[in-house]
Amino acid sequence: MNSTVSHIEMNASVKARAYYELLKPRLSFLVVFSSGFGYALANQSVLNWGSFVVFLMAGFLVSGSSVTINQIIEQKYDAIMKRTKNRPLPSNRISESEAVWFSILTGVAGLVLMLLATNILATALSFLSLLLYAFVYTPLKRVGSIAVFVGAIPGALPPLIGWAAASGMLSYEAMIIFGIQFIWQFPHFWAIAWVSDEDYKKAGFKLLPGGGAKDLNTAINIMVYTLFLLPLGLLPTIFGLTGLTSGVVATICGVLFLATTFSLMKDTSNQKARRIMFGSFIYLPIVQITFLIDKI
């Protein structure tokens, strides 16, 4: 009897972990961080922590739903790639029907919570983000590098959703923080695609720009988009959203980030591309946190 109970508990634990992995928690927490940043930056009164926490939970669930749909669509490709073959669907820890119902449950729950905690604008933007990521960006990955442009839109929507949730409107300030995260997506995505190129080719994913080669042309593309972050990082200061300190920090971070791209142009290796990838993960949160600390 005890062994049967233990077996059931173990199976339940394995299944629960598989569902949690479907949510891609690291990616979804990054989405939550960026949306929370936009919310806090737009908030002009005493923060309502109850609404704020529910908003973050809603964002996590909507993000989890979109990445679950992504994994349902790509499960046969995930099965042949080294970096993804152990995901819940290709490893058969979750069935396709279970994943479908899970994506519906998390998506509906997230959107309902978003509407209850915020407003129709933030909810509509969240739904748009889900649709673009799951049903437009995902299939385009096998078409060409246009997928990166399309994917950069839902990738940059979280701070915009946060702004809309807190203010109930979109303004030029909101478009500035959207623009920074939108442009950031390109060196970030392309560095990941560079490092994962061998795996991506197995699945037929075509994310690198130009001819799709790991060469100087691609490295230059990465450098150019990273360069755009320098003037963009100054816009919050110029338009009075934040103080001078954030402009200085954004410029320093931008220069350091840009330096990693010059290294890739000199040495088109995976090691240099990996530095850009890690640099992108450092750049965005530091800049966003600084904007929050220095907001006017």
Side-chain angles (χ1 to χ4, degrees):
M1 181 66 177
N2 288 338
S3 62
T4 302
V5 172
S6 297
H7 182 68
I8 293 173
E9 289 177 346
M10 184 177 68
N11 285 341
S13 176
V14 169
K15 185 70 76 173
R17 176 159 185 80
Y19 278 120
Y20 182 67
E21 288 178 27
L22 269 182
L23 294 169
K24 288 189 180 177
R26 284 187 296 180
L27 175 59
S28 293
F29 277 125
L30 283 173
V31 169
V32 167
F33 177 85
S34 288
S35 58
F37 153 72
Y39 190 106
L41 195 64
N43 185 64
Q44 296 297 324
S45 58
V46 177
L47 187 65
N48 184 326
W49 283 99
S51 295
F52 183 59
V53 170
V54 174
F55 163 70
L56 295 180
M57 290 172 57
F60 184 86
L61 289 171
V62 173
S63 174
S65 176
S66 64
V67 296
T68 297
I69 296 169
N70 167 272
Q71 290 172 84
I72 294 168
I73 295 171
E74 292 186 346
Q75 58 182 303
K76 67 179 181 181
Y77 307 122
D78 284 345
I80 60 178
M81 292 191 292
K82 184 178 179 181
R83 62 187 288 270
T84 57
K85 65 182 181 181
N86 292 320
R87 284 178 176 173
L89 281 164
S91 64
N92 295 315
R93 288 177 289 143
I94 292 284
S95 69
E96 183 174 333
S97 62
E98 288 173 328
V100 168
W101 281 109
F102 186 65
S103 69
I104 294 171
L105 177 63
T106 53
V108 170
L111 291 171
V112 169
L113 284 175
M114 184 71 70
L115 185 58
L116 292 174
T118 62
N119 52 61
I120 188 67
L121 178 58
T123 306
L125 288 172
S126 297
F127 186 49
L128 175 63
S129 179
L130 186 154
L131 292 177
L132 286 174
Y133 184 87
F135 298 109
V136 184
Y137 161 70
T138 296
L140 280 178
K141 288 167 70 176
R142 288 174 52 81
V143 175
S145 60
I146 185 65
V148 176
F149 176 83
V150 174
I153 299 172
L157 277 176
L160 201 64
I161 293 168
W163 188 283
S167 68
M169 60 180 288
L170 297 179
S171 62
Y172 68 87
E173 296 101 331
M175 298 314 297
I176 287 172
I177 61 174
F178 170 83
I180 292 171
Q181 190 149 324
F182 177 78
I183 293 299
W184 170 86
Q185 301 282 327
F186 289 89
H188 173 71
F189 264 121
W190 284 333
I192 293 173
W194 187 300
V195 172
S196 305
D197 185 57
E198 185 177 336
D199 249 359
Y200 280 2
K201 281 180 177 175
K202 293 177 185 176
F205 294 160
K206 304 169 184 177
L207 297 179
L208 290 175
K214 294 161 59 174
D215 58 11
L216 180 60
N217 178 59
T218 297
I220 290 173
N221 273 279
I222 293 173
M223 181 275 293
V224 168
Y225 278 87
T226 308
L227 183 63
F228 288 153
L229 289 173
L230 290 175
L232 282 171
L234 289 172
L235 291 183
T237 298
I238 293 170
F239 283 91
L241 179 60
T242 63
L244 181 61
T245 301
S246 66
V248 172
V249 172
T251 300
I252 292 172
C253 289
V255 169
L256 293 174
F257 190 14
L258 183 63
T260 64
T261 68
F262 286 118
S263 295
L264 182 65
M265 289 167 62
K266 292 178 182 177
D267 175 14
T268 55
S269 65
N270 278 4
Q271 181 186 9
K272 301 301 183 182
R274 194 171 283 109
R275 287 185 182 179
I276 296 174
M277 184 175 69
F278 288 134
S280 69
F281 281 118
I282 295 171
Y283 170 87
L284 193 65
I286 289 179
V287 169
Q288 289 182 338
I289 290 170
T290 306
F291 286 165
L292 278 180
I293 295 172
D294 199 37
K295 88 169 184 174
I296 295 175

